Amino acid sequence: MTVLVSTAFGIALVPLVWLLWTVVGRGIGRLDPYFLLHSMRGVFGGMDAGGIYHAIIGTVWVTVGAAVISVPVGILAAIYLVEYGAGGRLARAVTFFVDVMTGIPSIVAGLFAYALFSLFLGPGAHFGAIGAVALSVLMIPVVVRSTEEMLKLVPNELREAAYALGVPKWLTVIKVVLRTAIAGITTGVMLAVSRVVGETAPLLLTVGVIDSINFNPFEGRMMTLPVYVYRQFTAGLVPCNNPNVTCIPTINYDRAWAAALTLILIVMILNLVARLVSRLFAPKIRS
Amino acid sequence: MDAWRSGFQSANSGVTVNYDGIGSGDGRKQFLSGAVQYAGSDAYLTDDEIAQAKTTCQNGDVVELPVYISPIAIAFNLKGVDSLNLDGPTVAKIFDGKITKWDDPAIAKLNDGVKLPSTAITPVHRSDDSGTTQNFTQWVKANAGDAWPYEPSQTFPVKGGQSAQGTPGVAQTLQGGEGTIGYIDSSQVGKLGSAKIKVGDAFVAHSPEAAAAAVAKSDVVSGRATSDIAIDINRTLTDSSTYPLVLVSYDIGCTTYADANTAALVKGFFSYVVSDAGQQAAASAAGSAPLSSDLAAKAQAAVDAIKLG
Amino acid sequence: MTTTAADTRAPSPAPSNGPDRPRPPRRRTRAADRGFNRAFRYLATSAGTLILIALAAVAGFLLWQSWPALTSSGSEIASKVSFFQGQSSLASYLGPLIFGTLLAAAVALAVATPLAIGIALFTSHYAPRRLASLLGWVIDLLAAIPSVVYGLWGALVLAPTIQPVWQWVSNVLGWIPLFKGPAADPARVLLTVSLVLAVMILPIITAVSREVFLQTPKLHEEAALALGATRWEMIRTAVLPFGRSGVVSAAMLGLGRALGETMAVVMILSPGLTYSFALLLAGKQQTIAANIALKYPEANSLGMSTLMATGLALFVITMVVNMASRWVVGRRKEFSGAN
């Protein structure tokens, strides 16, 4: 039996190792400062050029936008659930629907944001903020859940000690409860960010595609890293018809792999930092 | 498209022309709603859409320029065979799944002396809606007679079979399997084999020149504004210098813009695209056919109709 | 990933409360509920309410956008929307899509669940502690890889490599309708997609199952061992029965994720709209999410509306699956006595 269980484990490791091996092996060659610091403006065909700078900018803007929406809403909602709502009917409904909301398919979130903005701006609006709204639909429930868990870990004695000193409840929540749980909350937020940073489908619908650098999340399309990977994949092999021009047939795939590697690195770093934060700054409240 | 933007941007620094390769449907929708200043499309606007465009165009006319003529190749991946002769009915039966082996008598009859293996045929079509599919199905419909019971459409009408997204996706799928056949922009053929199609009594290979000739010998849709050069491609040409399985892409804009700057930019970009330099840039980057001089002159006249201010 | 969810969840007086001071009444009876206190309470409450509104808005907007398609006759849509041609009604278009979505997810689940249980048992009951925590981290990493990367890998690496395997499967097992051959070349088929989906949902099923297995009361385990059970017998008699509903809900969570996955499907599958169980033939099935991503670029307004309607269907399906899984979890809490 031990053999069977261990085999299951071994089988599960195969795709992970295989995938990481491929991504690193095929992506590392092109991943250099040039690639990170140049956009795709003016790049076409099999040119040995082009990079992901514009996609990094877009990903940063859209993700930060999503975080700006999700973090306050998520944390406040968690505070409501733990400190105010406890057991009430509304709180039970919120808890239940937060759970349900974690299961919303990402493309549905994209359709929602698309529909929401087409109400105000007419069909076909594409800019960064719409993508941020779509991602926040996916991110809010994750933030709520993790924050809720963390707030529940804060022992009641701390709250009661604060009340006994005459500290009003809102200050207690902010200064005592949140401060105690802040490391855990930070970890939760970072994990939530690492989850949405790789979302592709909703951004494809809402943020669109562009070759140049765009710093303005409220006007014009933006490129994002996951969409970039997808675009380069769909661009496919380049038939090098003209022998006079330097042309790399697999250039699009090369860029896709390198961008995929970048994306995985970003996600991994976010994960690692999140775990470090929770390990280093966690309050020693449970044995 | 990319080659043009690149060329235009390097000639006009400080200008960014963005083209979101989202697809013709969305582009046209956005153009009609005024969200974008110009659109590229693989099909000309319908009469309904032209009526809608009146508001976007401040009651001016629509400018439609044929800017990109690309032969559609019937490409295949079959060991030891680079070229085949195919006629309309055979192509129709292959893509309809009626002919399933490469050594089928219908194919052998057209290809004397070619050693055909008994490999199974895997037809590959576009999974997304596209102008390429539209033009391909138009050609098959016009040339196959009863063998092709479907109407031309942006969506490939036959159910089942391999498919992939975009011409590069189809090209990759073709290369990924043995015995595959599909229709792709000729610029993407690369190492794949490609078919000569029957035109009149001859079999014609795809080439930019033959494609341009086919467009030149077709008629402009009548009853439209002079700035609107929509071409009704004649799929049943019999002249063996033409290759009527061809796709024409249009750039769509307005003669009147509210903003003089926009007008100047669109005009500048369009002029560049239909100019010799622009057409050559596309030809060398994408293997498209340059406009015939006659058509280029007409297009330039249409661009001149854009009013500045 | 805390194992403490169960014991801290109960809103009743926490066990650590010394002098009795029940929590719930406190918030109302406090005299100081005004000024900042009240403002903050309102702020927090409205954030909670906002979530409900957002969810309602998702459903509402999808419904609003899909209304034109829902109220048009099939022939009307077919005349305006090119991808709708040959369909008699919205239902006839939606049916195969729903079928394909469920089939892809079900196959993925069938592959992933046994593996996930194996890994979860391995990390919870077999592996040494240090190794177990490392492995847990590796599995979490698997969960963090973006789906587009899975798609890239599936389309460019896995599909070409696995084609001969599928060929072999269809030769040997071709008499089973699921594996009807000849296997398509290239392997842009549903089985390849499901395999990638299985890898993608493996981490979530593993993580949840592992939590549940770890919660098995130590007493039960030790009792089993004391009665002379081997480790496997102990697992079979104590751990698995205890964790069964937890595994079911974990699987349903995984199912929910597989149902909504877009990119991996778009990039790998040759789509088709039929009710076919043939996993190795190309162009037989398509999923809702992938269909939206594929068709929306060329869709006109009625076409977009049709796609919104399919999105609404996907939303409803995943909602049902999620609610069912929460219900199973909720029931387990009541009956398990784990805390």
Side-chain angles (χ1 to χ4, degrees), chain C residues 154-173:
Chain C
L156 295 182
V157 180
L158 182 66
T161 315
I162 210 152
Q163 205 281 331
V165 179
W166 290 166
Q167 191 77 57
W168 179 81
V169 168
S170 73
N171 287 345
V172 177
L173 298 172

Side-chain angles (χ1 to χ4, degrees), chain B residues 22-27 29 42 122 125-131 151-155 157 159-165 169 172-174 176-178 180, chain C residues 81-87 155-156 160 184-189 266-267 269-274 282-284 293-301 304:
Chain B
I22 43 178
S24 308
D26 218 0
K29 217 167 17 188
D42 287 347
T122 308
H125 59 86
R126 286 281 289 268
S127 60
D128 49 341
D129 293 0
S130 71
E151 286 304 312
S153 135
Q154 287 195 329
T155 310
K159 286 218 171 89
Q162 290 275 8
S163 61
Q165 187 185 10
Q172 199 234 339
T173 308
L174 290 175
E178 177 69 21
T180 49
Chain C
V81 179
S82 79
F83 61 75
F84 205 79
Q85 267 166 24
Q87 306 290 343
L156 295 182
D185 181 19
R188 299 166 56 84
V189 295
V266 171
M267 291 161 90
L269 188 65
S270 278
L273 298 176
T274 62
K284 293 294 180 194
L294 209 53
K295 296 297 185 190
Y296 104 95
E298 292 281 335
N300 54 22
S301 58
M304 197 65 206

Side-chain angles (χ1 to χ4, degrees), chain A residues 13-55:
Chain A
L13 277 184
V14 170
L16 176 69
V17 174
W18 189 3
L19 183 138
L20 287 180
W21 182 259
T22 324
V23 175
V24 172
R26 299 200 186 180
I28 198 97
R30 193 150 274 278
L31 188 58
D32 52 23
Y34 175 89
F35 186 69
L36 293 175
L37 294 174
H38 285 78
S39 74
M40 292 291 285
R41 188 179 156 112
V43 177
F44 60 91
M47 279 167 72
D48 180 13
I52 54 172
Y53 184 62
H54 59 315

Side-chain angles (χ1 to χ4, degrees), chain C residues 122-146:
Chain C
F122 184 74
T123 52
S124 68
H125 285 84
Y126 282 88
R129 226 194 153 133
R130 273 188 169 278
L131 183 63
S133 74
L134 179 75
L135 296 179
W137 190 76
V138 169
I139 296 296
D140 281 354
L141 226 178
L142 207 57
I145 295 175

Side-chain angles (χ1 to χ4, degrees), chain A residues 75-91 151 159 163 168-174, chain C residues 23-28 30 32-33 36-46:
Chain A
I75 292 182
L76 280 172
I79 289 176
Y80 166 73
L81 288 177
V82 177
E83 306 291 332
Y84 291 96
R89 188 180 288 172
L90 178 63
L151 294 184
R159 295 186 180 88
Y163 297 145
K169 179 157 186 175
W170 70 279
L171 262 185
T172 308
V173 170
I174 292 174
Chain C
R23 268 173 73 200
R26 188 184 57 211
R27 69 197 141 101
R28 293 249 168 74
R30 282 180 73 84
D33 188 25
F36 280 116
N37 255 347
R38 174 175 289 186
F40 192 69
R41 182 161 64 85
Y42 282 164
L43 193 63
T45 312
S46 51

Side-chain angles (χ1 to χ4, degrees), chain B residues 52-77:
Chain B
Q52 281 181 51
K54 278 280 171 197
T55 33
T56 319
C57 286
Q58 326 277 331
N59 287 321
D61 285 322
V62 169
V63 177
E64 279 192 281
L65 308 168
V67 290
Y68 180 92
I69 299 173
S70 170
I72 297 172
I74 297 174
F76 53 85
N77 184 12

Side-chain angles (χ1 to χ4, degrees), chain B residues 185-200:
Chain B
D185 290 1
S186 66
S187 58
Q188 293 278 339
V189 170
K191 294 192 192 73
L192 294 165
S194 58
K196 292 178 178 157
I197 60 170
K198 193 169 188 190
V199 180

